[in-house]
Amino acid sequence: MRSIDMHAHISPESYIRAVEAGEDWYGISGLSHEFHRMVPRTMWSPEQRLTDMDSIGVDVHVLSTNAVFYCYDRDPVTVTAMDRECNDYVSQLIKDHPDRFAGLANLPMQDVPAAATELERAMTQLGLKGAMIDDHVNGIPYDDPRFYPLWEVAEQTGAFILIHQALETLVTPRINRYHLPNTIGNLVDRAVTFASFVFGGVMDKYPDLRICLSHGGGYTCFGAGRMDRGWQVRSEARVNISQPPSSYLNRFYYDCLTHSEPALRMLIDSAGADRVVFGTDWPFDMCTDWPVSWVLGLESLSQEEKEAILYKNLESLLGI
């Protein structure tokens, strides 16, 4: 059975060469270098990646450069140049391996006009399918009107926007131990991002916006009932929306990376099987070891649901 992995990261080869030479790359050094050395597969060649994909039964990776390359707190001119190189690199990989790779852009989100320009270039010139962005930009959530020009471009071009946290999450300042910023923080951040798009009226203003919440949308589906109750009893929750938050669950897309069959079943039942796509978080340690086999072995999913998740939804969405 075919499989298309929407959540698969990559490091540009020019960055890898800089790491190996002990050099900075657009100002990225130190901790970022060590971060990648801790996960050797982040520095694998495309050929090594393809071999690994074959071994776990993944046919296509929709490539996104690692979140360490967001750099939203750095000089926007430098980051824009870095993003262009990242996106050119992914675009070239797609040209070299059109049957195995598709791609998402990296964007200089601290400069919204530059981000909008780069997204349009990625969609119209580079052959990419959208972009991967953080849950916020230096603490600013996405209901802020400054981001409207970007959502306009994303809607007009049909860009698929994958929301994926950076290295720090909302949990990090409170308890930066036990790997909790990842195992809990990622899920907290995703629920807050859902809320900012919904309560802020962004999904109503841009009805054709295609947003994918990674890691199964975090705590979004589990917490939808409480958000609905807040919408019912508090006037400030109804300022921008006339429908309960749960009615927006099927306006988003989600990857299947829940690490839990009951959680994935709840996600499908809440948002619909047509809203769930295959994602692995390759090559990081939190990825599922045998992701295709895991999905195929889930007893609570029908064969139709498994096929939709593994490849049919993304074939339709992205034309892969």
Side-chain angles (χ1 to χ4, degrees), residues 168-176 180-182 184-186 188-189:
E168 294 190 355
T169 64
L170 286 168
V171 168
T172 307
R174 184 170 181 179
I175 181 167
N176 192 13
L180 296 183
N182 184 301
I184 295 177
N186 291 356
V188 172
D189 277 21

Side-chain angles (χ1 to χ4, degrees), residues 28 49 53 84 127 140-141 170 173-174 191-192 196 225 232 303 309:
I28 299 178
R49 171 188 291 263
M53 289 167 60
R84 288 178 64 90
I140 303 169
L170 286 168
R174 184 170 181 179
V192 173
S196 68
Q232 291 170 351
Q303 184 66 19
I309 291 169

Side-chain angles (χ1 to χ4, degrees), residues 82-260:
M82 179 191 71
D83 288 344
R84 288 178 64 90
E85 181 166 341
C86 286
N87 300 337
D88 288 344
Y89 172 69
V90 171
S91 179
Q92 187 60 52
L93 282 178
I94 296 167
K95 294 173 183 175
D96 294 341
H97 305 278
D99 296 330
R100 305 304 303 272
F101 296 140
L104 300 176
N106 202 27
L107 303 177
M109 293 292 289
Q110 65 271 55
D111 184 339
V112 175
T117 297
E118 184 59 15
L119 178 60
E120 185 168 17
R121 186 180 82 97
M123 295 295 293
T124 62
Q125 299 179 35
L126 300 184
L128 304 188
K129 303 297 185 180
M132 186 181 83
I133 62 176
D134 197 358
D135 288 275
H136 60 92
V137 179
N138 302 322
I140 303 169
Y142 290 136
D143 60 329
D144 192 293
R146 75 185 68 188
F147 297 112
Y148 288 177
L150 180 63
W151 308 144
E152 289 174 4
V153 171
E155 190 178 50
Q156 290 166 3
T157 60
F160 195 81
I161 306 297
L162 177 65
I163 307 292
H164 185 289
Q165 77 293 328
L167 300 183
E168 294 190 355
T169 64
L170 286 168
V171 168
T172 307
R174 184 170 181 179
I175 181 167
N176 192 13
R177 298 190 296 278
Y178 317 124
H179 205 42
L180 296 183
N182 184 301
T183 57
I184 295 177
N186 291 356
L187 311 185
V188 172
D189 277 21
R190 223 50 25 78
V192 173
T193 295
F194 169 87
S196 68
F197 274 109
V198 170
F199 285 101
V202 178
M203 301 308 287
D204 286 340
K205 186 174 179 63
Y206 302 101
D208 295 325
L209 196 58
R210 303 201 292 178
I211 303 294
C212 181
L213 303 173
S214 65
H215 303 114
Y219 297 128
T220 296
C221 289
F222 184 83
R226 188 170 181 86
M227 284 188 274
D228 280 359
R229 181 58 178 167
W231 176 85
Q232 291 170 351
V233 302
R234 300 293 297 216
S235 60
E236 64 265 38
R238 299 191 298 273
V239 170
N240 297 308
I241 55 174
S242 59
Q243 299 295 320
S246 62
S247 69
Y248 291 84
L249 289 174
N250 64 359
R251 294 280 305 280
F252 291 78
Y253 296 92
Y254 311 81
D255 71 18
C256 67
L257 195 58
T258 61
H259 300 286
S260 162

